Amino acid sequence: MSKVMSADEAVGTLESGMTLGIGGWGSRRKPMALVRALCRSDVTDLTVVSYGGPDVGLLCAAGKVRRLVTAFVTLDSIPLEPHFRRARESGAIALTEYDEGMFMFGLYAAAHRLPFLPTPVGLGSDVMRVNPELRTVRSPYADGRELVAVPALTMDAALVHMNRADARGNAQYLGPDPYMDDLFAKAADRTYVSCERIVDTADLGKEGPPQSLLISRSQVAGVVETPNGAHFTDCEPDQRRDEAFQRLYAKAAADEEQWAAFRDRFLSGDEADYQDAVRRWQEEQ
Amino acid sequence: MTTQTGSDVGIDATRAEVCAVACAELFRGDGEIVAAAVAGFVPMLGSRLARATFEPDLLTTDGGPVLSARPVPLGTQADAAEGWLPFRDHLWLVLNGRRHVVMGPSQIDAHGNTNISCIGDWERPARQLLGSRGGPGNTLLNTTSYWVPKHSPRVFTEKVDFVSGVGWDRGAHEIRAVVTNLAVLDFATPERRMRLRSVHPGVTVQEVVAATGFDLTVPDHVPETRLPDAEELRVMREVLDPKGLREREVPA
């Protein structure tokens, strides 16, 4: 059964107030086309769970985020994300700030229907101070060690971007790192996969080994074909990060007037308009 | 670009090269563990230099998820892999412990507590920075060192605004040392407070004290940071960093 749909259809199933996971990592293989569709929608008041990059920045700029759950927000080659910074410095969003590994344990717990997973990580740090809801547990064994009980990061929906998928939702990464996208898919009630290209199931084996088939169709509610859909983040080996465009984004994001101009030029239409506008900009360079 | 810094006749090393060798020295004796030098070009170069010279069992990455078969030049990808360490396995390896990480703090205090999260009140920060990243886990479970390319009282502060990396007084596994553009600092005092271990050639103790925003322990005799030897200079200049990326990171 085909689960192929458009980005707007996928986003059309989301509701305001939801907890939404976003795959990728920093400025790497982010489902940016789905994020752009989300920014065009009426959905708002989201709790966003993400190893944050420009996905978080764009959603903050569009006023979609009520709370962010993260360990960092970065553009990688540019350390700080301007929209996220402004959102924090103006008090526009609430934050749940974890260590990267705590965050991963929260994903593993949610993916496996556990209420929490124990880890020592977080103890001694101010992550414990700013998350007063965090509880610790004591090992029942002889060591008696105190551990942080990282609560499951359950989600209503998750968005991820992969290199390939078939129409039923089997999804493949071809780059060097899976990030946590399979965990997001398992941790969410429903997951939408965008991909560079939809291929026949039989062809998935032509480009990568079985272990590159990261996400099973049993976890996927919808498949969206969005070539260059991670732009301007990377999607190796199909696309490298568009560093020049990311610099343009970061510069514009740091200034209100410039941001208005950027938004008019690149984000005022649909995804096809975005990709056209990016191509035209690239030709000017 | 080349600054005469040494008292040794015939050695003509830049400050960045002295810093890179000091970063290499962080890993001396570490053996067969992952050197995760994420703080910048200089510590990355240092970790690869250590592996290429006196610490051959170290595992190093190409900056991505590949454990390279050999130490690779800065900015290039590994031509051969000996292992795979995607982010999820990096985060598990933090718990395993066979890892020594070099991070870059925005603030650090006398016990080695560090902040990369935000400046000001966390609830409404004056300056939002990265967020805690892997700081809490790294410092609690792995040997951790720090690289500070610009030693100043803003970085070396009495009290950090947010503890993203735990110091010796908050349960750190081991905060080994801090390498800066001016000096090497460690915690070899009974109360594990920061101590000046050595000053780089051409730097005075007074300069370091003035650039440190808390009371630094200064021994009666402060040695000079050692210079690179001829082989280390050759490996840095000809093999591991022929483009001189290290020079960009250290203020002249």
Side-chain angles (χ1 to χ4, degrees):
Chain A
M1 191 191 72
S2 173
K3 296 171 188 164
V4 176
M5 57 176 68
S6 71
D8 290 329
E9 284 169 341
V11 164
T13 73
L14 305 179
E15 292 161 31
S16 295
M18 277 187 165
T19 296
L20 179 69
I22 302 178
W25 176 286
S27 189
R28 305 166 200 233
R29 200 154 49 71
K30 283 286 176 179
M32 296 299 283
L34 295 177
V35 168
R36 286 186 284 268
L38 189 52
C39 288
R40 292 193 297 270
S41 77
D42 295 332
V43 175
T44 189
D45 195 35
L46 294 170
T47 294
V48 172
V49 180
S50 173
Y51 284 106
D55 54 327
V56 167
L58 277 180
L59 291 171
C60 285
K64 303 294 192 190
V65 184
R66 184 180 62 81
R67 173 175 292 274
L68 175 68
V69 182
T70 196
F72 59 77
V73 182
T74 181
L75 300 172
D76 289 300
S77 53
I78 300 169
L80 304 180
E81 218 298 338
H83 287 308
F84 166 66
R85 290 190 62 180
R86 186 172 312 111
R88 279 280 286 151
E89 292 166 12
S90 66
I93 62 167
L95 181 66
T96 298
E97 177 172 342
Y98 287 170
D99 164 275
E100 292 171 12
M102 293 175 73
F103 187 106
M104 181 177 77
F105 274 40
L107 292 180
Y108 269 106
H112 301 96
R113 299 188 293 172
L114 293 166
F116 67 88
L117 276 173
T119 174
V121 173
L123 295 175
S125 80
D126 274 344
V127 162
M128 303 306 288
R129 172 172 68 84
V130 300
N131 294 292
E133 77 286 358
L134 282 176
R135 295 286 175 268
T136 60
V137 290
R138 200 164 285 285
S139 164
Y141 299 106
D143 60 296
R145 210 169 156 197
E146 189 189 34
L147 301 158
V148 180
V150 182
L153 285 172
T154 51
M155 304 159 202
D156 298 304
L159 310 176
V160 301
H161 185 77
M162 305 285 281
N163 299 91
R164 303 286 177 271
D166 68 12
R168 306 178 80 186
N170 295 302
Q172 182 174 45
Y173 79 106
L174 297 171
D177 197 314
Y179 311 121
M180 308 292 176
D181 288 2
D182 52 329
L183 300 178
F184 277 99
K186 289 176 184 163
D189 289 344
R190 59 182 193 277
T191 294
Y192 298 96
V193 175
S194 61
C195 64
E196 291 295 306
R197 190 144 48 86
I198 294 177
V199 299
D200 288 341
T201 307
D203 289 342
L204 288 169
K206 290 181 181 168
E207 290 193 79
Q211 59 266 37
S212 66
L213 296 168
L214 187 67
I215 297 176
S216 157
R217 61 185 168 84
S218 67
Q219 317 287 352
V220 174
V223 181
V224 182
E225 189 175 54
T226 56
N228 208 28
H231 185 267
F232 48 87
T233 71
D234 80 34
C235 186
E236 290 185 27
D238 294 314
Q239 308 286 346
R240 301 179 66 181
R241 184 182 303 136
D242 188 342
E243 296 285 3
F245 192 88
Q246 174 161 286
R247 281 195 296 277
L248 179 79
Y249 164 85
K251 191 159 170 283
D255 176 271
E256 268 182 52
E257 252 177 59
Q258 283 191 48
W259 179 248
F262 181 97
R263 206 180 44 212
D264 287 348
R265 179 166 185 186
F266 296 105
L267 300 173
S268 56
D270 63 13
E271 180 67 15
D273 295 330
Y274 173 80
Q275 295 289 350
D276 281 345
V278 169
R279 261 192 300 276
R280 281 198 300 277
W281 179 81
Q282 285 167 338
E283 282 160 14
E284 288 169 18
Q285 301 312 301
Chain B
M1 176 174 283
T2 307
T3 316
Q4 183 74 42
T5 57
S7 46
D8 282 18
V9 178
I11 293 288
D12 187 27
T14 66
R15 178 66 58 79
E17 288 162 346
V18 170
C19 292
V21 168
C23 285
E25 285 290 342
L26 295 169
F27 298 100
R28 190 180 285 277
D30 273 347
E32 207 156 27
I33 65 162
V34 170
V38 296
F41 288 130
V42 167
M44 202 178 284
L45 174 61
S47 67
R48 295 176 192 181
L49 177 66
R51 182 180 175 188
T53 54
F54 57 81
E55 206 59 39
D57 288 342
L58 277 182
L59 291 90
T60 55
T61 73
D62 67 349
V66 168
L67 291 168
S68 59
R70 287 172 291 280
V72 295
L74 291 182
T76 64
Q77 295 207 321
D79 58 354
E82 64 170 341
W84 183 51
L85 199 61
F87 284 121
R88 65 179 63 192
D89 290 319
H90 243 299
L91 297 180
W92 284 112
L93 190 66
V94 171
L95 279 84
N96 175 271
R98 297 193 63 78
R99 190 165 172 273
H100 178 173
V101 59
V102 183
M103 294 190 293
S106 299
Q107 294 179 321
I108 184 166
D109 73 13
H111 292 284
N113 296 292
T114 53
N115 175 21
I116 54 171
S117 183
C118 64
I119 301 297
D121 286 339
W122 180 87
E123 285 73 14
R124 179 81 182 263
R127 286 197 67 203
Q128 174 64 43
L129 304 174
L130 276 173
S132 288
R133 288 225 71 150
N138 286 338
T139 49
L140 191 72
L141 301 172
N142 296 172
T143 298
T144 302
S145 297
Y146 291 101
W147 161 240
V148 179
K150 191 162 190 280
H151 194 138
S152 79
R154 278 179 56 177
V155 178
F156 288 79
T157 180
E158 193 70 50
K159 188 175 184 305
V160 300
D161 293 345
F162 186 95
V163 179
S164 343
V166 299
W168 279 107
D169 59 339
R170 293 177 72 118
H173 173 78
E174 180 194 5
I175 309 299
R176 186 165 292 174
V178 184
V179 177
T180 80
N181 61 316
L182 301 180
V184 180
L185 308 115
D186 62 22
F187 300 86
T189 59
E191 64 282 12
R192 296 285 189 194
R193 272 185 66 93
M194 199 183 289
R195 177 195 82 131
L196 183 56
R197 178 192 286 177
S198 67
V199 290
H200 300 337
V203 178
T204 66
V205 170
Q206 288 75 10
E207 275 178 73
V208 178
V209 169
T212 303
F214 52 79
D215 209 9
L216 188 62
T217 302
V218 180
D220 292 342
H221 173 67
V222 179
E224 274 197 356
T225 311
R226 82 165 173 89
L227 286 166
D229 65 25
E231 173 63 5
E232 287 166 338
L233 279 180
R234 185 192 70 78
V235 170
M236 283 192 279
R237 292 173 180 178
E238 294 175 21
V239 183
L240 292 180
D241 187 22
K243 291 181 188 156
L245 297 175
R246 63 195 178 280
E247 302 294 340
R248 292 190 200 167
E249 207 167 271
V250 180

PDB file of all heavy atoms in Angstrom, chain A residues 6-7 23 30 35 52 58-59 78 89-90 105 136 139 144 150-151 180 210 228 230 242 251 260 278:
ATOM      1  N   SER A   6       2.157  14.413  -0.324  1.00  0.00           N
ATOM      2  CA  SER A   6       2.922  15.655  -0.467  1.00  0.00           C
ATOM      3  C   SER A   6       3.352  16.141   0.918  1.00  0.00           C
ATOM      4  O   SER A   6       2.810  15.707   1.946  1.00  0.00           O
ATOM      5  CB  SER A   6       2.067  16.728  -1.138  1.00  0.00           C
ATOM      6  OG  SER A   6       1.060  17.154  -0.242  1.00  0.00           O
ATOM      7  N   ALA A   7       4.303  17.065   0.922  1.00  0.00           N
ATOM      8  CA  ALA A   7       4.753  17.651   2.186  1.00  0.00           C
ATOM      9  C   ALA A   7       3.588  18.345   2.894  1.00  0.00           C
ATOM     10  O   ALA A   7       3.428  18.229   4.116  1.00  0.00           O
ATOM     11  CB  ALA A   7       5.892  18.637   1.944  1.00  0.00           C
ATOM     12  N   GLY A  23      14.289  14.723  13.047  1.00  0.00           N
ATOM     13  CA  GLY A  23      15.525  13.942  12.936  1.00  0.00           C
ATOM     14  C   GLY A  23      16.699  14.773  12.457  1.00  0.00           C
ATOM     15  O   GLY A  23      16.667  16.010  12.449  1.00  0.00           O
ATOM     16  N   LYS A  30      18.612  17.328   7.811  1.00  0.00           N
ATOM     17  CA  LYS A  30      17.382  17.793   8.448  1.00  0.00           C
ATOM     18  C   LYS A  30      16.240  17.743   7.428  1.00  0.00           C
ATOM     19  O   LYS A  30      16.454  18.052   6.249  1.00  0.00           O
ATOM     20  CB  LYS A  30      17.569  19.236   8.945  1.00  0.00           C
ATOM     21  CG  LYS A  30      18.391  19.331  10.229  1.00  0.00           C
ATOM     22  CD  LYS A  30      17.572  18.864  11.403  1.00  0.00           C
ATOM     23  CE  LYS A  30      18.368  18.854  12.705  1.00  0.00           C
ATOM     24  NZ  LYS A  30      17.527  18.416  13.842  1.00  0.00           N
ATOM     25  N   VAL A  35       9.922  20.972   7.236  1.00  0.00           N
ATOM     26  CA  VAL A  35       9.935  22.106   8.165  1.00  0.00           C
ATOM     27  C   VAL A  35       9.399  23.358   7.470  1.00  0.00           C
ATOM     28  O   VAL A  35       8.612  24.124   8.047  1.00  0.00           O
ATOM     29  CB  VAL A  35      11.356  22.336   8.727  1.00  0.00           C
ATOM     30  CG1 VAL A  35      11.462  23.679   9.451  1.00  0.00           C
ATOM     31  CG2 VAL A  35      11.756  21.191   9.661  1.00  0.00           C
ATOM     32  N   GLY A  52      19.241  20.204  17.654  1.00  0.00           N
ATOM     33  CA  GLY A  52      18.797  21.359  16.902  1.00  0.00           C
ATOM     34  C   GLY A  52      19.772  21.942  15.902  1.00  0.00           C
ATOM     35  O   GLY A  52      20.975  22.020  16.139  1.00  0.00           O
ATOM     36  N   LEU A  58      14.256  27.992  11.980  1.00  0.00           N
ATOM     37  CA  LEU A  58      13.131  28.389  11.123  1.00  0.00           C
ATOM     38  C   LEU A  58      11.810  28.333  11.888  1.00  0.00           C
ATOM     39  O   LEU A  58      10.965  29.225  11.745  1.00  0.00           O
ATOM     40  CB  LEU A  58      13.047  27.467   9.896  1.00  0.00           C
ATOM     41  CG  LEU A  58      13.950  27.812   8.717  1.00  0.00           C
ATOM     42  CD1 LEU A  58      13.746  26.798   7.592  1.00  0.00           C
ATOM     43  CD2 LEU A  58      13.690  29.229   8.207  1.00  0.00           C
ATOM     44  N   LEU A  59      11.633  27.301  12.697  1.00  0.00           N
ATOM     45  CA  LEU A  59      10.381  27.172  13.448  1.00  0.00           C
ATOM     46  C   LEU A  59      10.259  28.264  14.511  1.00  0.00           C
ATOM     47  O   LEU A  59       9.173  28.788  14.752  1.00  0.00           O
ATOM     48  CB  LEU A  59      10.270  25.776  14.076  1.00  0.00           C
ATOM     49  CG  LEU A  59      10.061  24.636  13.063  1.00  0.00           C
ATOM     50  CD1 LEU A  59      10.195  23.280  13.748  1.00  0.00           C
ATOM     51  CD2 LEU A  59       8.690  24.745  12.386  1.00  0.00           C
ATOM     52  N   ILE A  78      28.826  27.124  11.401  1.00  0.00           N
ATOM     53  CA  ILE A  78      28.569  28.382  12.120  1.00  0.00           C
ATOM     54  C   ILE A  78      28.026  27.947  13.474  1.00  0.00           C
ATOM     55  O   ILE A  78      26.960  27.335  13.547  1.00  0.00           O
ATOM     56  CB  ILE A  78      27.546  29.265  11.372  1.00  0.00           C
ATOM     57  CG1 ILE A  78      28.079  29.619   9.983  1.00  0.00           C
ATOM     58  CG2 ILE A  78      27.194  30.502  12.186  1.00  0.00           C
ATOM     59  CD1 ILE A  78      27.048  30.264   9.067  1.00  0.00           C
ATOM     60  N   GLU A  89      16.802  34.665  24.045  1.00  0.00           N
ATOM     61  CA  GLU A  89      17.153  35.926  24.704  1.00  0.00           C
ATOM     62  C   GLU A  89      15.935  36.826  24.887  1.00  0.00           C
ATOM     63  O   GLU A  89      15.918  37.690  25.768  1.00  0.00           O
ATOM     64  CB  GLU A  89      18.274  36.630  23.915  1.00  0.00           C
ATOM     65  CG  GLU A  89      19.588  35.848  24.002  1.00  0.00           C
ATOM     66  CD  GLU A  89      20.647  36.291  22.986  1.00  0.00           C
ATOM     67  OE1 GLU A  89      20.477  37.352  22.358  1.00  0.00           O
ATOM     68  OE2 GLU A  89      21.645  35.544  22.826  1.00  0.00           O
ATOM     69  N   SER A  90      14.906  36.613  24.073  1.00  0.00           N
ATOM     70  CA  SER A  90      13.679  37.403  24.218  1.00  0.00           C
ATOM     71  C   SER A  90      12.646  36.674  25.072  1.00  0.00           C
ATOM     72  O   SER A  90      11.544  37.185  25.291  1.00  0.00           O
ATOM     73  CB  SER A  90      13.084  37.693  22.832  1.00  0.00           C
ATOM     74  OG  SER A  90      12.653  36.481  22.238  1.00  0.00           O
ATOM     75  N   PHE A 105      19.187   8.836  25.489  1.00  0.00           N
ATOM     76  CA  PHE A 105      18.544   7.852  26.365  1.00  0.00           C
ATOM     77  C   PHE A 105      17.030   8.087  26.410  1.00  0.00           C
ATOM     78  O   PHE A 105      16.254   7.131  26.475  1.00  0.00           O
ATOM     79  CB  PHE A 105      19.151   7.915  27.776  1.00  0.00           C
ATOM     80  CG  PHE A 105      20.388   7.065  27.924  1.00  0.00           C
ATOM     81  CD1 PHE A 105      21.331   6.992  26.914  1.00  0.00           C
ATOM     82  CD2 PHE A 105      20.597   6.322  29.072  1.00  0.00           C
ATOM     83  CE1 PHE A 105      22.470   6.203  27.046  1.00  0.00           C
ATOM     84  CE2 PHE A 105      21.730   5.515  29.221  1.00  0.00           C
ATOM     85  CZ  PHE A 105      22.672   5.465  28.206  1.00  0.00           C
ATOM     86  N   THR A 136      16.075  11.051  40.160  1.00  0.00           N
ATOM     87  CA  THR A 136      17.151  10.064  40.121  1.00  0.00           C
ATOM     88  C   THR A 136      16.627   8.740  40.681  1.00  0.00           C
ATOM     89  O   THR A 136      15.618   8.699  41.386  1.00  0.00           O
ATOM     90  CB  THR A 136      18.368  10.521  40.940  1.00  0.00           C
ATOM     91  OG1 THR A 136      17.978  10.707  42.288  1.00  0.00           O
ATOM     92  CG2 THR A 136      18.945  11.824  40.381  1.00  0.00           C
ATOM     93  N   SER A 139      20.569   2.351  42.038  1.00  0.00           N
ATOM     94  CA  SER A 139      20.751   0.970  41.599  1.00  0.00           C
ATOM     95  C   SER A 139      20.329   0.023  42.711  1.00  0.00           C
ATOM     96  O   SER A 139      20.731   0.198  43.863  1.00  0.00           O
ATOM     97  CB  SER A 139      22.219   0.731  41.241  1.00  0.00           C
ATOM     98  OG  SER A 139      22.476  -0.657  41.165  1.00  0.00           O
ATOM     99  N   GLY A 144      24.767   0.342  44.463  1.00  0.00           N
ATOM    100  CA  GLY A 144      23.926   1.375  45.064  1.00  0.00           C
ATOM    101  C   GLY A 144      24.040   2.743  44.419  1.00  0.00           C
ATOM    102  O   GLY A 144      23.722   3.767  45.022  1.00  0.00           O
ATOM    103  N   VAL A 150      16.229   9.329  33.019  1.00  0.00           N
ATOM    104  CA  VAL A 150      15.856  10.222  31.912  1.00  0.00           C
ATOM    105  C   VAL A 150      14.497   9.776  31.387  1.00  0.00           C
ATOM    106  O   VAL A 150      14.343   8.633  30.947  1.00  0.00           O
ATOM    107  CB  VAL A 150      16.880  10.170  30.763  1.00  0.00           C
ATOM    108  CG1 VAL A 150      16.474  11.144  29.664  1.00  0.00           C
ATOM    109  CG2 VAL A 150      18.276  10.484  31.278  1.00  0.00           C
ATOM    110  N   PRO A 151      13.502  10.657  31.447  1.00  0.00           N
ATOM    111  CA  PRO A 151      12.155  10.237  31.031  1.00  0.00           C
ATOM    112  C   PRO A 151      12.080  10.030  29.518  1.00  0.00           C
ATOM    113  O   PRO A 151      12.808  10.649  28.752  1.00  0.00           O
ATOM    114  CB  PRO A 151      11.267  11.409  31.463  1.00  0.00           C
ATOM    115  CG  PRO A 151      12.177  12.586  31.517  1.00  0.00           C
ATOM    116  CD  PRO A 151      13.536  12.062  31.886  1.00  0.00           C
ATOM    117  N   MET A 180      19.932   9.806  14.680  1.00  0.00           N
ATOM    118  CA  MET A 180      19.030   9.051  15.574  1.00  0.00           C
ATOM    119  C   MET A 180      17.680   8.818  14.899  1.00  0.00           C
ATOM    120  O   MET A 180      16.672   8.597  15.573  1.00  0.00           O
ATOM    121  CB  MET A 180      18.842   9.827  16.886  1.00  0.00           C
ATOM    122  CG  MET A 180      20.114  10.249  17.564  1.00  0.00           C
ATOM    123  SD  MET A 180      21.087   8.869  18.217  1.00  0.00           S
ATOM    124  CE  MET A 180      22.526   9.791  18.813  1.00  0.00           C
ATOM    125  N   PRO A 210      21.900  -4.071   3.342  1.00  0.00           N
ATOM    126  CA  PRO A 210      20.682  -4.129   4.180  1.00  0.00           C
ATOM    127  C   PRO A 210      20.776  -3.275   5.440  1.00  0.00           C
ATOM    128  O   PRO A 210      19.769  -2.724   5.881  1.00  0.00           O
ATOM    129  CB  PRO A 210      20.579  -5.617   4.541  1.00  0.00           C
ATOM    130  CG  PRO A 210      21.304  -6.327   3.455  1.00  0.00           C
ATOM    131  CD  PRO A 210      22.404  -5.415   3.010  1.00  0.00           C
ATOM    132  N   ASN A 228      16.481  17.367  -2.918  1.00  0.00           N
ATOM    133  CA  ASN A 228      17.153  18.499  -2.263  1.00  0.00           C
ATOM    134  C   ASN A 228      16.366  18.983  -1.042  1.00  0.00           C
ATOM    135  O   ASN A 228      16.476  20.134  -0.633  1.00  0.00           O
ATOM    136  CB  ASN A 228      17.383  19.655  -3.256  1.00  0.00           C
ATOM    137  CG  ASN A 228      18.587  20.505  -2.890  1.00  0.00           C
ATOM    138  OD1 ASN A 228      19.532  20.025  -2.266  1.00  0.00           O
ATOM    139  ND2 ASN A 228      18.544  21.773  -3.247  1.00  0.00           N
ATOM    140  N   ALA A 230      16.656  18.385   2.058  1.00  0.00           N
ATOM    141  CA  ALA A 230      17.390  18.709   3.284  1.00  0.00           C
ATOM    142  C   ALA A 230      18.060  20.074   3.172  1.00  0.00           C
ATOM    143  O   ALA A 230      18.647  20.551   4.140  1.00  0.00           O
ATOM    144  CB  ALA A 230      18.451  17.644   3.576  1.00  0.00           C
ATOM    145  N   ASP A 242      25.062  23.289   1.803  1.00  0.00           N
ATOM    146  CA  ASP A 242      25.238  24.496   0.999  1.00  0.00           C
ATOM    147  C   ASP A 242      25.774  25.583   1.934  1.00  0.00           C
ATOM    148  O   ASP A 242      25.017  26.362   2.512  1.00  0.00           O
ATOM    149  CB  ASP A 242      23.899  24.896   0.378  1.00  0.00           C
ATOM    150  CG  ASP A 242      24.046  26.029  -0.627  1.00  0.00           C
ATOM    151  OD1 ASP A 242      25.085  26.727  -0.597  1.00  0.00           O
ATOM    152  OD2 ASP A 242      23.112  26.218  -1.434  1.00  0.00           O
ATOM    153  N   LYS A 251      23.378  35.207   8.265  1.00  0.00           N
ATOM    154  CA  LYS A 251      23.549  36.662   8.241  1.00  0.00           C
ATOM    155  C   LYS A 251      22.182  37.343   8.253  1.00  0.00           C
ATOM    156  O   LYS A 251      21.937  38.282   9.016  1.00  0.00           O
ATOM    157  CB  LYS A 251      24.333  37.056   6.984  1.00  0.00           C
ATOM    158  CG  LYS A 251      24.818  38.484   6.957  1.00  0.00           C
ATOM    159  CD  LYS A 251      25.987  38.636   5.987  1.00  0.00           C
ATOM    160  CE  LYS A 251      26.323  40.114   5.758  1.00  0.00           C
ATOM    161  NZ  LYS A 251      25.358  40.769   4.828  1.00  0.00           N
ATOM    162  N   ALA A 260      13.486  39.824   6.805  1.00  0.00           N
ATOM    163  CA  ALA A 260      12.258  40.056   6.042  1.00  0.00           C
ATOM    164  C   ALA A 260      12.524  39.885   4.545  1.00  0.00           C
ATOM    165  O   ALA A 260      11.730  39.279   3.817  1.00  0.00           O
ATOM    166  CB  ALA A 260      11.708  41.444   6.345  1.00  0.00           C
ATOM    167  N   VAL A 278      16.419  29.349  -4.766  1.00  0.00           N
ATOM    168  CA  VAL A 278      17.779  28.966  -4.397  1.00  0.00           C
ATOM    169  C   VAL A 278      18.631  28.817  -5.656  1.00  0.00           C
ATOM    170  O   VAL A 278      19.769  29.293  -5.718  1.00  0.00           O
ATOM    171  CB  VAL A 278      17.780  27.662  -3.569  1.00  0.00           C
ATOM    172  CG1 VAL A 278      19.201  27.111  -3.408  1.00  0.00           C
ATOM    173  CG2 VAL A 278      17.152  27.899  -2.199  1.00  0.00           C
TER     174      VAL A 278
END
